[in-house]
Amino acid sequence: MRLILLGCPGAGKGTQAKLISQRYHIPQISTGDILRTAIQQGTALGKKVKEIVESGHLVPDAVVIQLVQERLEQSDCQNGFLLDGFPRTVEQSEALQHLASIDYVIDIDVPEEEIINRLSGRRIHPASGRIYHIQNNPPRVAGRDDVTGDPLIQRPDDREETIRKRLQVYQDQTRPLKEYYQHYKGNNGSPVPRYVKIDGAGTVDEISNKIFSILDKDKCKETIK
Ligand code: AMP
């Protein structure tokens, strides 16, 4: 199962990606997580992208394409993977066609008005990537991770002015991908990914159940084959 999760920042991609990855035993490849880890560790890549990521702009296509290419070559991707936050431009999706064929593009659709509230209330546990929301999904103890008790943090790019920038970048550069995948006809006979739009309003479970009901049918078909 090779999947792409599309959706604007705050649509719930990261949360859903974790659930999908657990259910179908496929690795979650989040370019945002890879970049944030590089920034935290102060690697050469991290230093190069820190300012770009924290200001809400997109990292150059060539940088993320190379990251994804290297990640997809690892053995745990042989039976499938879930791309979360990649591709984000038409150029990235064209590059992806040369790296792997994709079965599903799952587009989580959330009205923009809801996004600012969702993102500005988001808190994360950096070591595990667990995601909370101060109102919708609060930790048991305020400001602390449920499992380890570590302090939660707000991502630097989840502040309101940066969120507005990220939404603008999404509108300009990533939104065209919806159209791209809705009308994509394949390349040299390669399989055409199925584009599925999911209404992202509702609880985490409601949304994951909608996604699972589509992907489970596919899993069933695979088992019968
Ligand atoms: P995310 O966690 O997916 O919201 O990504 C956080 C930030 O990392 C984005 O705002 C970009 O600065 C950068 N980033 C993540 N994925 C990509 C990508 N596919 N292309 C360019 N920049 C990216």
Side-chain angles (χ1 to χ4, degrees):
M1 202 179 263
R2 287 161 302 225
L3 312 173
I4 291 174
L5 270 189
L6 280 188
C8 64
K13 294 193 296 298
T15 304
Q16 294 301 330
K18 287 203 168 36
L19 298 171
I20 296 170
S21 150
Q22 280 161 11
R23 185 175 179 98
Y24 301 105
H25 311 288
I26 50 175
Q28 171 194 0
I29 302 175
S30 157
T31 41
D33 284 348
I34 297 173
L35 294 168
R36 276 186 292 278
T37 303
I39 293 171
Q40 268 161 25
Q41 294 176 344
T43 63
L45 169 70
K47 287 186 185 129
K48 187 165 158 185
V49 301
K50 184 174 195 297
E51 237 176 71
I52 306 177
V53 170
E54 292 184 353
S55 66
H57 290 87
L58 290 188
V59 168
D61 286 332
V63 173
V64 275
I65 290 167
Q66 195 188 340
L67 280 183
V68 170
Q69 175 167 11
E70 286 167 4
R71 184 64 188 85
L72 291 179
E73 281 164 3
Q74 291 175 22
S75 57
D76 63 335
C77 293
Q78 265 170 12
N79 294 325
F81 52 80
L82 169 63
L83 288 169
D84 158 19
F86 180 94
R88 250 183 165 95
T89 63
V90 170
E91 189 173 341
Q92 291 176 18
S93 52
E94 284 170 349
L96 179 62
Q97 281 171 33
H98 300 285
L99 301 178
S101 63
I102 300 295
D103 303 306
Y104 281 94
V105 176
I106 299 171
D107 183 10
I108 307 180
D109 196 46
V110 177
E112 241 186 66
E113 318 73 87
E114 222 192 295
I115 293 295
I116 303 237
N117 161 44
R118 280 199 190 188
L119 286 181
S120 53
R122 179 158 77 172
R123 297 292 180 273
I124 58 168
H125 176 239
S128 66
R130 276 185 285 280
I131 301 168
Y132 300 87
H133 188 280
I134 51 176
Q135 282 144 14
N136 308 339
N137 178 28
R140 283 196 286 270
V141 177
R144 299 268 163 191
D145 178 48
D146 285 351
V147 178
T148 62
D150 292 340
L152 301 177
I153 63 155
Q154 182 175 41
R155 277 173 42 175
D157 57 347
D158 277 349
R159 303 207 173 96
E160 191 165 332
E161 64 285 4
T162 317
I163 295 170
R164 291 194 191 281
K165 176 76 220 163
R166 289 165 65 204
L167 287 174
Q168 187 60 48
V169 167
Y170 171 80
Q171 288 300 342
D172 296 344
Q173 301 195 62
T174 308
R175 214 186 153 81
L177 281 185
K178 283 173 177 264
E179 285 265 307
Y180 177 87
Y181 280 117
Q182 271 168 324
H183 301 114
Y184 180 59
K185 295 279 186 290
N187 184 21
N188 300 330
S190 62
V192 178
R194 221 182 113 194
Y195 172 89
V196 187
K197 188 159 160 176
I198 301 280
D199 179 359
T203 65
V204 168
D205 285 346
E206 281 164 357
I207 298 162
S208 58
N209 285 336
K210 285 185 225 166
I211 298 175
F212 295 162
S213 70
I214 293 165
L215 297 179
D216 278 354
K217 277 190 217 138
D218 219 55
K219 255 306 191 221
C220 257
K221 268 192 260 152
E222 247 176 51
T223 319
I224 293 164
K225 261 195 257 162

